[in-house]
Amino acid sequence: MAPTPLARSGDVTVVPADHARFADVRTMLGPKNPTSTVCWCLSHRIPARENRELSGPAREAYVEALTRRPTKPGVLAYDGTEVVGWAAVAPRAELPYARSTKIPHVDDQDAWSVWCIRVRPGHRGRGISHVLLRGAVAYAGQRGAPVVEGYPVDNRGAKVDLTMAYVGTRKLFEDAGFSFAMETQATSAGFPRVVMRRPTPTALPLVE
């Protein structure tokens, strides 16, 4: 039985990235070169040293193992049956952000972080990132997160280089119900990054 979508807009639905969908996770995160030491959305999920040491198939195996855990490593967006997007979401306490000197803690709540939002080429400009973010918030809420935060750029409408656009923009998060929480000392693509936050109900209504 197909899982109930976490969020939906038209033909686009968002569901957890479980093991049955690992081939689609590979489509979204796997580098073109299978021996590469980049991507798989690990650079902000695991400590820097471990990230540097993992290469090629070991990176894929690490993420494959994550999809087998009760809490999945993120959510996937589908246009019909075609995977078109990914958003990483996890408890901040499990991420390098927990020890970041540039992105501060707002308070002592067990916040979850959304730090990577990707839409496949050919599908951009359709609002898929908005549906992904809503789905990530819904998933965190279902897993018991009291609050979700992101660290987007405050680009004030200026164009963001696509290679760095995965962090999202302040407006994207505002449109998903997030509020400005704090400045940071981090930058991306030449823009300052801010902490955006929103409380998380245990489940959000579908957005048609």
Side-chain angles (χ1 to χ4, degrees):
M1 180 182 296
T4 301
L6 297 161
R8 180 170 61 213
S9 180
D11 292 332
V12 177
T13 57
V14 177
V15 296
D18 59 23
H19 188 257
R21 298 175 184 273
F22 181 67
D24 295 330
V25 175
R26 182 190 296 114
T27 295
M28 290 305 308
L29 304 183
K32 293 180 180 179
N33 180 355
T35 64
S36 175
T37 59
V38 299
C39 209
W40 284 106
C41 204
L42 289 176
S43 60
H44 297 291
R45 186 182 292 275
I46 58 179
R49 180 175 179 179
E50 185 177 1
N51 183 52
R52 290 192 299 269
E53 292 173 349
L54 281 178
S55 63
R59 298 180 73 79
E60 178 176 355
Y62 190 100
V63 177
E64 190 267 345
L66 291 178
T67 65
R68 294 181 181 273
R69 294 181 179 179
T71 298
K72 308 310 175 186
V75 297
L76 294 165
Y78 290 85
D79 184 354
T81 60
E82 181 182 11
V83 66
V84 295
W86 154 267
V89 58
R92 177 169 173 159
E94 297 178 0
L95 307 171
Y97 290 114
R99 300 174 297 280
S100 175
T101 58
K102 292 187 176 182
I103 297 180
H105 289 262
V106 177
D107 52 37
D108 293 331
Q109 292 189 81
D110 294 327
W112 281 44
S113 302
V114 180
W115 71 92
C116 177
I117 301 171
R118 296 184 181 183
V119 177
R120 289 178 71 186
H123 300 274
R124 294 167 182 157
R126 297 171 49 202
I128 292 173
S129 59
H130 293 75
V131 192
L132 273 165
L133 184 50
R134 291 198 301 266
V137 170
Y139 184 65
Q142 289 180 359
R143 300 301 298 177
V147 66
V148 180
E149 59 185 32
Y151 320 110
V153 292
D154 191 1
N155 61 319
R156 303 179 185 274
K159 187 175 182 179
V160 180
D161 188 297
L162 279 178
T163 60
M164 301 303 294
Y166 68 90
V167 301
T169 64
R170 177 170 176 168
K171 185 178 187 306
L172 170 66
F173 280 79
E174 287 175 340
D175 289 347
F178 286 69
S179 299
F180 171 80
M182 192 174 288
E183 302 281 356
T184 81
Q185 296 181 38
T187 61
S188 184
F191 298 105
R193 296 175 71 177
V194 293
V195 179
M196 302 292 292
R197 273 194 153 200
R198 65 155 295 166
T200 311
T202 56
L204 297 179
L206 295 182
V207 178
E208 300 289 352

